Amino acid sequence: MTAVKSIAVLTSGGDSQGMNAAVRAVVRSALFNGLEVYGVQKGYTGLINDDIRKMDLRSVGDILHRGGTILQTARCLEFKTEEGQKIAAENLQKRGIDGLVVIGGDGSYKGAQKLSKLGIKTMGLPGTIDNDIPFTDFTIGFDTAVSIVVDAINKLRDTMTSHQRASLVEVMGRSSGDIALYAGLASGAETILVPEIPFDLEKVAARMENNFAHGKRHSIIVLAEGVGKGEDFCKIISEHCGMEPRVTVLGHIQRGGTPTHNDRILASRLGDFAVSQLMAGDSGKACGIIKNELVATDIDTVVSTKKEFNHDLFELALRLSK
């Protein structure tokens, strides 16, 4: 395969902390290696609307520590059509752009997959707080999101302890329970409810009641949004034990804020790696990190595989939450 001479970068889907660090790494790595580099505004919408701008070193100055994405992001229904995909590919080709780095989640990867079949050399970077992309241990933004949840739980525990109450914290994760799992383990939550593991709310209520009866002064339940609504769960729990937990829905606060050093480093490594893979003539790959080693996996394989839930970590959380 022929190496690229000009590449573009876009962010797509939900934003995640560290996207800017990834964009910065792609741009500066490309420039360091003598490539032209372009930024696409508002994801695949920008490709279709030809909202593509040439970038230089200053274009990505002072963004390493910033949340969100300077390129902005948007969902694009038109790009899901064959006609929209052809327009996007043609807009890249007419500018002489032969490589594209896509930073986003599963839906973004599927877009990169389509473009790779239209002659655009593509690399996907896992930019999502949900940590639900397979063939990578961690995704860009996940570490920061977990840190935000842990900080919130730490603060909630103070007031729950003062009033001897229970708290249910609803976190993001429609189909993946990783934020709930990692944050619950890190914060010492008594109960973690995730889509991947069956549970019995009557047993959750009984355990909570028993803990308070034996002198415990607080109880924390972490609930992934994909399981259900926190308000509904609290009502059911109160029917079984007479104590209704207070609900905190963290929502989009989990996506914002300054990325942790782990997310900045991960994004920087992956962005540079994506450029090196394109320069080597590779295409149609998803970049990830496994056991601290950078890997590139066929994007066809990635989009057709569901990431495995870490049952060992969940069992550890159970053992330590007595």
Side-chain angles (χ1 to χ4, degrees):
M1 298 178 70
T2 305
V4 299
K5 296 181 179 179
S6 177
I7 68 172
V9 57
L10 65 79
T11 52
S12 175
D15 62 317
S16 64
Q17 307 94 327
M19 279 186 163
N20 279 331
V23 170
R24 173 181 179 270
V26 169
V27 170
R28 293 198 170 180
S29 180
L31 292 172
F32 178 84
N33 286 288
L35 305 181
E36 287 189 344
V37 60
Y38 294 80
V40 181
Q41 294 291 320
K42 297 183 179 179
Y44 292 113
T45 298
L47 279 186
I48 291 176
N49 294 337
D50 199 24
D51 193 357
I52 302 170
R53 307 172 187 176
K54 195 168 185 179
M55 302 188 80
D56 57 25
L57 288 174
R58 300 282 72 81
S59 301
V60 291
D62 198 33
I63 69 169
L64 178 66
H65 61 291
R66 299 184 185 278
T69 162
I70 62 166
L71 295 179
Q72 298 184 285
T73 180
R75 305 192 188 278
C76 182
L77 294 177
E78 186 179 356
F79 185 77
K80 292 184 178 181
T81 67
E82 288 187 12
E83 182 181 359
Q85 292 158 16
K86 288 179 181 178
I87 292 172
E90 289 168 359
N91 282 335
L92 289 169
Q93 290 162 345
K94 75 180 183 182
R95 292 174 178 267
I97 299 171
D98 41 18
L100 176 68
V101 178
V102 173
I103 307 168
D106 181 65
S108 304
Y109 274 24
K110 289 177 181 176
Q113 179 189 33
K114 297 293 185 183
L115 288 174
S116 70
K117 299 185 186 306
L118 292 173
I120 304 298
K121 296 178 178 64
T122 60
M123 285 287 151
L125 298 189
T128 169
I129 68 169
D130 289 335
N131 204 42
D132 59 351
I133 301 295
F135 300 98
T136 184
D137 290 339
F138 299 107
T139 59
I140 298 167
F142 174 67
D143 187 74
T144 307
V146 170
S147 297
I148 289 169
V149 175
V150 170
D151 181 62
I153 292 174
N154 289 341
K155 293 170 180 174
L156 286 167
R157 181 182 285 105
D158 289 343
T159 188
M160 292 300 110
T161 301
S162 298
H163 295 274
Q164 198 167 8
R165 289 175 178 166
S167 181
L168 188 150
V169 183
E170 183 182 319
V171 302
M172 284 186 163
R174 285 193 299 271
S175 59
S176 170
D178 274 19
I179 293 177
L181 172 59
Y182 280 73
L185 176 59
S187 60
E190 286 74 24
T191 303
I192 301 171
L193 303 178
V194 295
E196 297 88 347
I197 304 292
F199 56 88
D200 185 333
L201 281 183
E202 188 172 346
K203 291 182 178 179
V204 171
R207 184 182 184 195
M208 179 189 299
E209 190 173 35
N210 182 66
N211 284 341
F212 278 110
H214 286 81
K216 198 168 182 67
R217 297 182 60 187
H218 67 267
S219 184
I220 303 291
I221 300 170
V222 183
L223 169 73
E225 64 179 343
V227 175
K229 291 187 176 297
E231 292 286 353
D232 296 336
F233 277 53
C234 285
K235 291 177 182 177
I236 296 171
I237 290 171
S238 66
E239 290 172 1
H240 289 295
C241 71
M243 176 179 290
E244 184 173 356
R246 300 297 194 270
V247 182
T248 301
V249 181
L250 294 182
H252 285 83
I253 192 173
Q254 294 161 89
R255 282 190 187 169
T258 300
T260 62
H261 76 281
N262 286 327
D263 273 327
R264 298 185 203 186
I265 292 170
L266 176 62
S268 297
R269 292 181 67 188
L270 287 173
D272 177 73
F273 182 62
V275 173
S276 69
Q277 292 298 108
L278 288 171
M279 290 181 61
D282 211 352
S283 176
K285 296 292 179 66
C287 301
I289 188 165
I290 299 176
K291 296 181 180 179
N292 206 34
E293 294 292 330
L294 298 176
V295 297
T297 308
D298 286 340
I299 204 161
D300 291 343
T301 302
V302 175
V303 299
S304 62
T305 304
K306 181 175 175 58
K307 187 168 186 176
E308 292 186 7
F309 185 70
N310 194 329
H311 289 269
D312 290 340
L313 207 61
F314 186 83
E315 292 297 325
L316 173 62
L318 284 180
R319 292 196 298 274
L320 300 184
S321 63
K322 304 297 184 184

